[in-house]
Amino acid sequence: MKILLITLILIMSGRLYAQFDNFYFGVDFGLIRDINQVVSNDNDYFSCWNNCWSDQDGFFSRNGSFSLFAGFEISDNMIFEINFVRQTENVSIQYLLPLNVVSGGGISGSGIRFSNTLLKWTAGVGRKISIGNELNYIPFFQLSTIYTDNLSSGIFFTEGPNSSFRHNFSMRYFNENQIFLGFKNTLQWKPSSRWSINLQLGYAQGLSKIYEIHQEIQFFDDPENISKGHTISRLSHIFASLGTSYIFKKN
């Protein structure tokens, strides 16, 4: 029985090795943008995520990503890959009131913004499709997990200039672990048999709610008229990156 088992293992190992073509490792750098669910944004007072995205101060440190990856290819052009990604979670609880609604004139805006460094592990499977001379297109299906050390939930309020309005906000965390389903499209150019240049674009959809933010603007001269903002985050995001990989051939 032992001899038969060892023989079967050797046969299976030999078949797997016969299918194995090459393996590779690489790095890339890119940008990530969070895609949150905006439930309400009365009067567009709470749309600071657009302003924050275009803000030049610390842009790459807040929106940049760094990735290490490794994978292997088998003989039918199927590719299996794992990624380790360092990215940033940006939390924005801010408001911006236009000139025509602020008593005393001027534009008023405030709130808080903070970020956390996140580490994401991803496993993916794809298929290499040749589209030209040393040019390949590789669509990947990906499963990812991430952990964030969340801050404590809280309820806060701040009063505006001249005590003309009040900004109330609350933030609630639901969990610290997240699972993503997503895809990645890789356009690969191979200037040599050992090196490749990779342009990548993808999306990751979080499967559960991580946190939600409620905001209110209440003017003291019209206390019954309350503008509300409500945002839900699943840490879903789009990403784009450019990098390189080194290929190890079997032979």
Side-chain angles (χ1 to χ4, degrees):
M1 181 61 71
K2 290 183 178 180
I3 295 176
L4 178 60
L5 182 60
I6 293 173
T7 303
L8 289 174
I9 292 175
L10 290 175
I11 292 174
M12 293 177 63
S13 299
R15 289 179 177 177
L16 181 62
Y17 181 76
Q19 292 182 337
F20 178 80
D21 188 14
N22 58 61
F23 68 95
Y24 61 90
F25 72 91
V27 297
D28 62 38
F29 300 87
L31 294 174
I32 289 180
R33 182 176 184 179
D34 296 337
I35 305 296
N36 295 324
Q37 178 186 354
V38 180
V39 181
S40 63
N41 181 18
D42 293 346
N43 302 306
D44 204 34
Y45 290 165
F46 311 101
S47 60
C48 183
W49 45 85
N50 295 323
N51 298 328
C52 291
W53 172 249
S54 61
D55 186 357
Q56 297 300 311
D57 182 23
F59 177 83
F60 191 80
S61 64
R62 289 186 291 105
N63 304 296
S65 68
F66 169 73
S67 174
L68 298 173
F69 59 90
F72 64 91
E73 178 182 348
I74 58 179
S75 56
D76 60 354
N77 291 329
M78 293 297 294
I79 297 177
F80 300 88
E81 186 178 277
I82 58 172
N83 298 69
F84 172 75
V85 184
R86 181 189 182 279
Q87 63 188 70
T88 303
E89 171 198 17
N90 293 292
V91 180
S92 175
I93 312 175
Q94 302 188 41
Y95 66 91
L96 185 64
L97 301 180
L99 180 66
N100 62 323
V101 301
V102 181
S103 72
I107 298 176
S108 179
S110 187
I112 63 172
R113 182 179 68 193
F114 60 89
S115 61
N116 298 314
T117 298
L118 305 180
L119 304 177
K120 182 176 68 175
W121 290 93
T122 299
V125 57
R127 185 176 182 87
K128 184 172 70 175
I129 303 170
S130 177
I131 58 175
N133 186 25
E134 304 302 332
L135 195 63
N136 301 305
Y137 167 63
I138 311 172
F140 283 93
F141 172 77
Q142 295 184 309
L143 177 67
S144 307
T145 183
I146 207 167
Y147 174 82
T148 175
D149 187 11
N150 295 322
L151 300 179
S152 300
S153 301
I155 300 175
F156 315 89
F157 75 90
T158 56
E159 292 189 3
N162 303 318
S163 299
S164 61
F165 64 89
R166 176 178 293 163
H167 174 226
N168 304 304
F169 66 90
S170 66
M171 182 174 185
R172 179 185 176 190
Y173 277 102
F174 294 90
N175 57 75
E176 293 181 330
N177 296 289
Q178 180 62 287
I179 301 296
F180 301 89
L181 290 178
F183 61 88
K184 180 179 71 170
N185 297 289
T186 299
L187 185 63
Q188 180 190 76
W189 174 56
K190 296 180 64 178
S192 72
S193 62
R194 293 291 185 181
W195 288 97
S196 70
I197 305 298
N198 310 301
L199 177 63
Q200 304 182 106
L201 177 67
Y203 174 77
Q205 172 66 46
L207 301 185
S208 61
K209 181 165 55 176
I210 288 287
Y211 67 80
E212 66 177 1
I213 297 170
H214 289 271
Q215 297 189 76
E216 294 181 351
I217 293 291
Q218 181 184 30
F219 292 94
F220 296 142
D221 59 358
D222 187 11
E224 300 300 322
N225 185 12
I226 300 175
S227 299
K228 297 183 178 182
H230 180 196
T231 304
I232 294 174
S233 175
R234 292 177 171 84
L235 300 183
S236 302
H237 52 274
I238 57 174
F239 59 90
S241 64
L242 180 65
T244 184
S245 57
Y246 184 80
I247 304 166
F248 294 86
K249 298 287 187 179
K250 185 177 69 172
N251 297 319

